[in-house]
């Protein structure tokens, strides 16, 4: 019988010293040799007729290493089950000798385990919920923003010369030393402005249909490196002039852009939307504060393996969100390594929070049923649209389901903690929190 | 007198050789074509510190090999069956 001793190194590390009896080792080695002799191709022997002594010489060390791996793997998993240890990450295996016939095999495995989290007080956590009141100014700001994005260019017909503020439709060519470096047809340019590097600044007072040319010298530190330090000769033809017309905010505006009958209704709808937004962000801020408080109040050691795997997850998430701005493949490993270091504190906090929430779930007896998981998957699949079926097949994997269950369990637990928390709604004092559509709130 | 390793080129480790070693206490060597039984006997006795009772040899003809139209032959070689005195042993897998 395999002998297992467990040492507790610290709150997150256990050392298992495992001894496999000699007869098991011998049996395993014999088996390995006999199965190898059936397949080994050795010069001078027909297959299956190679004597053990020859095999020993040809492949003995390799075979013993394989037997060692197999014995360790089997006995390690058994030992974990027997001792009900749930490890995270990979074990560190140490041994003094290889597997030898007739000798017991002794090795030690150091594993990290999830710590026993003793959650202190999680009921009645006092946090502030920074709810920003929505005022008329916010609604106005939102509508003005919508108004600006609804602006159109109306042709000017009673004038044949451009004026500051007009929108000119132009064809242009840009040359450096008679070489064309840029060209465009029917571009819209706002006339006027003080910025000499903008085309518009040179187009004031140009007659409709006339061609004008001007020279722009870009400074050395210009942001576009193709143009920096160059003298560019522009040739521009103004084909049409127009003005930027914004629709007035009235009932018609409400009809056209909000699908509502009156402006009053639209204002109401906008206010509701902004209020809902403010509520959502206040709620999520409160939840975050609660998680922060939990982590702050419950200090414990976290297995490094969990932190690292979480940090890896964060980095991967970050990288996939980069999309086009992903670093080139040659630098990716380096960037990942650096990001990992930067994200480690955050990963540690998240792991801590997750462990705390799981511990609370146990205390509160919160469980996620299979039906709940099924309906969550259905929801995901529906919202994914075309790629939904692929998503469903992903969730067929037990590990994906397990992950989802854990995530739902944490959410549900956090809901419970939030219910029991002592949440005080306050008005935010922070400037950053107090603007929605570019207008300061009245809080 | 030839150098010992000029006489004994290598042991022959084959299925037949291992059988003979078990049953008849014979060992097989690959030897140069020019080596005679006396040389083989004394080389084995010196190299492995054993008593040899009998040496039998046989010549192998090299296999024919054809490269296009040209037919050639691989070099031939000589095999020696060396019978050891009772109780003597040569172990090519020492330590195993």
């Amino acid at each position: 019988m395999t002998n297992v001793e467990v040492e507790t190194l610290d709150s997150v590390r256990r050392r298992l010293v495992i001894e496999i009896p000699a007869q098991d080792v011998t049996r395993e080695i014999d088996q390995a040799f006999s199965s190898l002799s059936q397949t080994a191709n050795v010069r001078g022997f027909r297959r299956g007729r190679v004597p053990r002594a020859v095999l020993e010489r040809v492949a003995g060390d390799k075979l013993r290493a394989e037997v060692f791996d197999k014995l360790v793997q089997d006995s390690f998993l058994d030992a974990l089950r027997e001792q009900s240890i749930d490890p995270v990450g990979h074990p560190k295996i140490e041994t003094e000798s290889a597997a030898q016939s007739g000798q017991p095999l002794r090795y030690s495995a150091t594993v990290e385990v999830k710590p026993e989290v003793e959650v202190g007080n999680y009921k009645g956590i006092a946090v502030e919920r920074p709810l920003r009141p929505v005022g008329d100014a916010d609604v106005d700001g939102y509508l003005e923003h919508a108004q600006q994005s609804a602006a159109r260019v109306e042709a000017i017909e009673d004038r044949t010369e451009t004026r500051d503020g007009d929108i000119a439709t132009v064809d242009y060519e840009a040359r450096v030393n008679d070489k064309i470096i840029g060209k465009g047809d029917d571009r819209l340019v706002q006339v006027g402005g003080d910025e000499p590097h903008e085309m518009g600044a040179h187009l004031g007072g140009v007659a409709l249909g006339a061609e004008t040319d001007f020279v722009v010298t870009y400074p050395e530190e210009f942001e576009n490196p193709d143009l920096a330090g160059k003298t560019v000769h522009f040739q521009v033809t103004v084909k049409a002039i127009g003005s930027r017309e914004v629709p007035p905010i009235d009932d018609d505006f409400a009809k056209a852009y909000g699908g509502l009958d009156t402006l009053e209704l639209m204002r109401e709808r906008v206010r509701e939307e902004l209020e809902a937004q403010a509520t959502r962000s206040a709620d999520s801020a409160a939840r975050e504060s609660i998680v922060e408080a939990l982590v702050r109040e419950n200090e414990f050691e976290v297995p490094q393996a969990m932190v690292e795997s979480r940090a890896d997850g964060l980095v991967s998430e970050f990288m996939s969100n980069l999309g086009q701005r992903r670093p080139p493949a040659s630098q990716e490993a380096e960037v990942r390594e650096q990001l990992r270091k930067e994200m480690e504190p955050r990963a540690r906090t998240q792991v801590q929070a997750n462990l705390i929430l799981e511990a609370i779930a146990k205390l509160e007896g919160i469980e996620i049923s299979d039906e709940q998981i099924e309906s969550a998957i259905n929801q995901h699949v529906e919202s994914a649209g075309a790629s939904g079926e692929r998503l469903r097949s992903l969730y067929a994997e037990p590990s994906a389901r397990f992950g989802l269950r854990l995530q739902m369990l944490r959410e549900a637990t956090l809901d419970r903690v939030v219910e029991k928390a002592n949440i005080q709604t306050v008005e935010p004092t922070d400037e950053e929190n107090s603007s929605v559509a570019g207008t300061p709130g009245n809080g | 007198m030839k150098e010992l390793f000029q006489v004994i080129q290598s042991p022959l480790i084959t299925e037949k050789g291992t059988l003979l070693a078990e049953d008849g206490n014979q060992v097989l060597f690959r030897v140069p074509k020019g080596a005679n039984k006396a040389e083989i006997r004394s080389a084995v006795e010196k190299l492995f510190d054993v008593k040899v009772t009998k040496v039998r040899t046989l010549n192998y003809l090299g296999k024919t090999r054809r490269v296009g139209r040209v037919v050639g032959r691989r070099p031939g070689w000589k095999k020696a069956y060396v019978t050891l005195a009772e109780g003597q042993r040569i172990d090519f897998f020492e330590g195993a």
Side-chain angles (χ1 to χ4, degrees):
Chain A
M1 196 50 222
T2 307
N3 183 20
V4 184
E5 289 161 33
V6 182
E7 278 173 59
T8 302
L9 298 181
D10 55 39
S11 64
V12 294
R13 286 193 306 151
R14 304 274 181 281
R15 199 169 112 114
L16 286 84
V17 178
I18 299 172
E19 190 174 289
I20 302 165
Q23 75 249 29
D24 287 358
V25 178
T26 310
R27 194 185 55 229
E28 206 55 55
I29 290 181
D30 288 351
Q31 241 169 39
F33 269 117
S34 72
S35 76
L36 176 66
S37 85
Q38 293 307 310
T39 53
N41 249 333
V42 181
R43 216 182 134 99
F45 298 91
R46 288 171 293 169
R47 195 172 297 156
R49 307 273 180 156
V50 187
R52 166 98 178 239
V54 176
L55 280 181
E56 282 270 4
R57 213 170 95 118
V58 177
D61 289 344
K62 198 176 145 228
L63 207 76
R64 267 187 283 273
E66 275 170 23
V67 169
F68 177 79
D69 285 348
K70 180 170 185 292
L71 283 172
V72 166
Q73 211 167 48
D74 293 353
S75 62
F76 176 64
L77 292 180
D78 284 347
L80 288 181
R81 214 167 304 134
E82 204 178 291
Q83 306 286 336
S84 16
I85 292 173
D86 184 15
V88 290
H90 295 289
K92 198 172 145 219
I93 306 275
E94 280 170 311
T95 182
E96 281 134 37
S97 65
Q100 295 284 358
S101 288
Q103 274 174 33
L105 178 67
R106 200 179 152 84
Y107 69 93
S108 75
T110 309
V111 293
E112 288 192 299
V113 292
K114 280 190 182 182
E116 287 288 321
V117 181
E118 275 179 39
V119 186
N121 192 16
Y122 61 91
K123 293 171 189 169
I125 294 172
V127 290
E128 291 186 344
R129 176 172 173 267
L131 181 66
R132 206 182 62 76
V134 175
D136 285 339
D138 296 312
V139 179
D140 289 343
Y142 184 93
L143 288 175
E144 275 162 29
H145 194 77
Q147 180 192 27
Q148 288 302 325
S149 45
R152 280 168 199 272
V153 177
E154 299 280 350
I156 296 175
E157 274 152 13
D158 56 350
R159 241 186 321 122
T160 56
E161 219 180 64
T162 57
R163 245 188 245 163
D164 277 7
D166 286 353
I167 304 289
T169 310
V170 302
D171 291 351
Y172 77 94
E173 267 179 16
R175 287 196 171 88
V176 174
N177 298 334
D178 285 340
K179 220 179 104 197
I180 294 179
I181 59 157
K183 205 176 153 162
D185 290 335
D186 296 330
R187 292 296 170 90
L188 295 180
V189 179
Q190 175 147 26
V191 176
D194 305 327
E195 192 54 60
H197 310 124
E198 299 279 348
M199 205 185 284
H202 303 270
L203 293 180
V206 178
L208 194 61
E211 193 180 280
T212 178
D213 42 6
F214 51 87
V215 172
V216 177
T217 304
Y218 291 95
E220 289 290 346
E221 63 274 13
F222 194 65
E223 57 199 25
N224 183 345
D226 293 341
L227 295 175
K230 296 219 170 104
T231 302
V232 183
H233 186 189
F234 283 94
Q235 237 171 2
V236 182
T237 312
V238 176
K239 287 164 73 182
I241 49 177
S243 60
R244 188 161 182 279
E245 298 292 340
V246 290
I249 300 178
D250 53 16
D251 286 353
D252 288 338
F253 182 77
K255 256 179 219 136
Y257 298 99
L260 295 164
D261 284 341
T262 64
L263 180 61
E264 210 36 56
L265 264 176
M266 187 170 179
R267 288 186 70 91
E268 217 167 279
R269 194 60 65 82
V270 167
R271 180 187 289 271
E272 278 166 18
E273 180 52 40
L274 290 178
E275 271 167 357
Q277 244 177 46
T279 309
R280 275 198 298 273
S281 80
D283 285 346
S284 83
R287 281 171 89 92
E288 242 166 72
S289 309
I290 287 174
V291 171
E292 274 168 28
L294 280 175
V295 171
R296 207 168 43 237
E297 299 289 319
N298 296 285
E299 283 265 340
F300 57 89
E301 213 173 329
V302 182
Q304 188 61 21
M306 289 181 87
V307 176
E308 274 169 22
S309 94
R310 185 67 210 126
D312 276 344
L314 286 176
V315 171
S316 297
E317 237 168 70
F318 183 77
M319 294 294 253
S320 63
N321 284 343
L322 280 182
Q324 286 290 316
R325 285 171 298 138
R326 251 184 118 101
S330 57
Q331 286 169 25
E332 197 175 313
E334 204 181 311
V335 174
R336 269 178 179 272
E337 194 46 46
Q338 202 190 336
L339 281 174
R340 244 177 73 148
K341 256 186 222 135
E342 280 170 24
M343 291 193 178
E344 209 179 285
R346 213 169 105 207
R348 187 174 296 275
T349 313
Q350 286 188 3
V351 169
Q352 251 169 341
N354 288 346
L355 288 171
I356 293 169
L357 287 176
E358 281 162 32
I360 295 176
K362 215 177 276 176
L363 287 178
E364 290 275 321
I366 299 172
E367 273 172 14
I368 301 294
S369 67
D370 289 342
E371 290 84 55
Q372 276 170 295
I373 290 193
E374 217 44 61
S375 80
I377 291 176
N378 285 339
Q379 248 175 36
H380 278 232
V381 168
E382 260 165 48
S383 65
S387 56
E389 282 315 304
R390 230 191 74 218
L391 201 66
R392 190 183 289 282
S393 66
L394 278 181
Y395 276 122
E397 291 282 325
S399 66
R401 269 171 185 269
F402 182 74
L404 183 66
R405 182 188 293 267
L406 217 53
Q407 199 187 334
M408 287 170 70
L409 182 70
R410 289 176 198 142
E411 282 299 316
T413 312
L414 187 53
D415 286 344
R416 184 76 60 91
V417 176
V418 169
E419 266 169 41
K420 298 194 172 174
N422 177 10
I423 297 175
Q424 209 159 13
T425 302
V426 295
E427 287 188 19
T429 47
D430 194 355
E431 274 292 309
E432 283 169 49
N433 290 338
S434 57
S435 105
V436 171
T439 45
N442 51 4
Chain B
M1 188 65 201
K2 287 177 184 160
E3 290 288 325
L4 298 179
F5 282 107
Q6 274 182 335
V7 179
I8 305 298
Q9 285 176 326
S10 64
L12 277 176
I13 297 163
T14 62
E15 212 175 310
K16 182 172 181 181
T18 47
L19 270 178
L20 287 173
E22 280 164 27
D23 299 346
N25 210 17
Q26 294 183 71
V27 277
L28 271 48
F29 294 100
R30 186 186 174 113
V31 294
K33 289 193 73 153
N36 63 34
K37 291 180 179 177
E39 283 168 349
I40 294 167
R41 173 192 295 264
S42 82
V44 171
E45 285 185 340
K46 280 189 185 142
L47 264 179
F48 299 101
D49 194 20
V50 289
K51 180 96 183 84
V52 173
T53 56
K54 189 156 85 181
V55 176
R56 293 190 301 169
T57 60
L58 64 141
N59 280 304
Y60 274 90
L61 199 57
K63 292 176 178 176
T64 55
R65 282 288 182 263
R66 175 193 286 275
V67 180
R69 283 191 306 174
V70 186
V71 180
R73 192 176 281 287
R74 284 182 164 184
W77 56 286
K78 189 182 241 183
K79 179 153 96 173
Y81 288 77
V82 177
T83 309
L84 304 179
E86 214 153 301
Q88 304 271 335
R89 243 178 88 76
I90 296 176
D91 199 345
F92 295 125
F93 310 110
E94 262 163 62

